[in-house]
Amino acid sequence: MSPRKKKIFTIAAIAGGVALAAILFLLSPFFHLRHVQFVGNYRLGNDELVQRLNLGTNTHLILFNENAARRRVMENMYVRDVQFERVLDERKLYVIITERHLTAYVEHIPGSFLFLDDQGRVLEIRPATTEQLPVLVGLQFTRFQVGEILEVPDVAAFSTIVLYAQLLRAHGLIDQVSHINVRDTSNIRIVIDNIEFNVGGASQADEKVRTIVAILEDFPHRGLVPGSVDMRIIGRQFVLEILQ
């Protein structure tokens, strides 16, 4: 063997040895999980997430299969998205959860409620409501399936309902609403603290919800007596009518 060929062979052998050593190091227990931190999970507990992700002290951060882990976590309908960040030198895994917000209920048969998010997606079905959130009264729908958006005959009208639900959440009112009457989607009625606000349809919805906030702030005795406010025409002076 010529000296040149021998030199090339020696360099290749060294390079191969270094590569093998690097691979063995990357697959070594040095990269076993030591810490996990969950971010953004309010409804899902840490213990449930650990179980779904199948995490343990023998979890190898480099071999961790993010796609399979994501699928297992997203089997829970309350999860909108999940992302992972690995910090190898700290042997740490960040699990970043984006949850869907439970926004309203629909009683489709007596004693059975559909739990909806702020897009109208059915998150689960239960025999009773669990939180102080509005019940959608009079909502017509053709079919439903857990994990999918509720199918309704009038998509535009349903979009109006979803819009108001999103605005009520954005303005911090969603957990004060007892129910939303949507039998007539051109005269949507939002009931808060015994006061019925007839907001009409989708026109100037954000301004109407802002006005509801202002009315509630200026009426300290709300909830003691029933009342109603006709808000179908925005821009005029609204009058709180006390009902006897």
Side-chain angles (χ1 to χ4, degrees):
M1 179 182 296
S2 69
R4 179 178 175 80
K5 288 183 178 180
K6 185 176 181 179
K7 184 176 181 181
I8 293 174
F9 177 79
T10 302
I11 293 174
I14 293 173
V18 171
L20 178 60
I23 292 172
L24 292 176
F25 174 68
L26 291 175
L27 298 180
S28 71
F30 181 82
F31 292 106
H32 280 180
L33 178 66
R34 178 179 290 175
H35 304 290
V36 59
Q37 183 168 337
F38 298 104
V39 180
N41 58 311
Y42 303 102
R43 183 173 294 274
L44 275 73
N46 291 354
D47 291 342
E48 179 182 350
L49 285 169
V50 167
Q51 185 175 5
R52 284 182 176 271
L53 292 169
N54 194 27
L55 297 177
T57 55
N58 62 343
T59 299
H60 201 287
L61 282 174
I62 293 177
L63 300 179
F64 179 68
N65 189 327
E66 291 188 6
N67 292 330
R70 181 176 289 107
R71 285 194 298 270
R72 290 196 298 271
V73 173
M74 293 188 67
E75 288 174 355
N76 187 302
M77 290 299 106
Y78 284 92
V79 179
R80 188 189 302 273
D81 189 29
V82 56
Q83 298 293 327
F84 304 97
E85 291 184 9
R86 291 178 259 198
V87 184
L88 296 181
D89 58 342
E90 298 179 12
R91 295 200 283 180
K92 188 171 186 177
L93 176 68
Y94 286 92
V95 182
I96 304 164
I97 304 290
T98 303
E99 293 188 353
R100 293 189 171 99
H101 295 295
L102 173 61
T103 299
Y105 308 104
V106 174
E107 187 175 24
H108 75 103
I109 58 174
S112 182
F113 291 86
L114 308 181
F115 286 41
L116 305 182
D117 73 355
D118 56 4
Q119 295 179 319
R121 186 182 310 276
V122 181
L123 301 177
E124 59 177 322
I125 307 170
R126 288 198 183 187
T129 60
T130 57
E131 300 175 30
Q132 183 61 46
L133 292 170
V135 176
L136 301 182
V137 178
L139 179 65
Q140 301 297 317
F141 55 92
T142 52
R143 66 178 294 274
F144 67 88
Q145 183 172 331
V146 174
E148 295 184 1
I149 293 176
L150 199 64
E151 291 190 12
V152 295
D154 189 340
V155 177
F158 187 58
S159 296
T160 299
I161 299 167
V162 169
L163 172 63
Y164 275 106
Q166 293 172 338
L167 289 172
L168 289 166
R169 176 177 292 282
H171 289 284
L173 290 177
I174 194 67
D175 58 353
Q176 300 179 41
V177 180
S178 61
H179 65 272
I180 304 176
N181 191 322
V182 296
R183 286 191 176 91
D184 179 359
T185 51
S186 62
N187 287 283
I188 295 174
R189 300 169 186 269
I190 301 171
V191 180
I192 302 175
D193 287 341
N194 224 12
I195 300 175
E196 181 183 88
F197 297 90
N198 185 345
V199 295
S203 177
Q204 296 175 291
D206 184 63
E207 187 174 351
K208 291 174 182 176
V209 174
R210 291 179 184 273
T211 303
I212 291 175
V213 173
I215 291 174
L216 292 175
E217 289 177 348
D218 291 339
F219 188 56
H221 301 296
R222 64 182 188 269
L224 300 179
V225 291
S228 67
V229 182
D230 188 346
M231 303 181 64
R232 288 174 292 180
I233 302 176
I234 199 74
R236 70 182 184 185
Q237 184 175 5
F238 298 117
V239 177
L240 174 60
E241 180 182 354
I242 303 300
L243 302 177
Q244 301 298 325

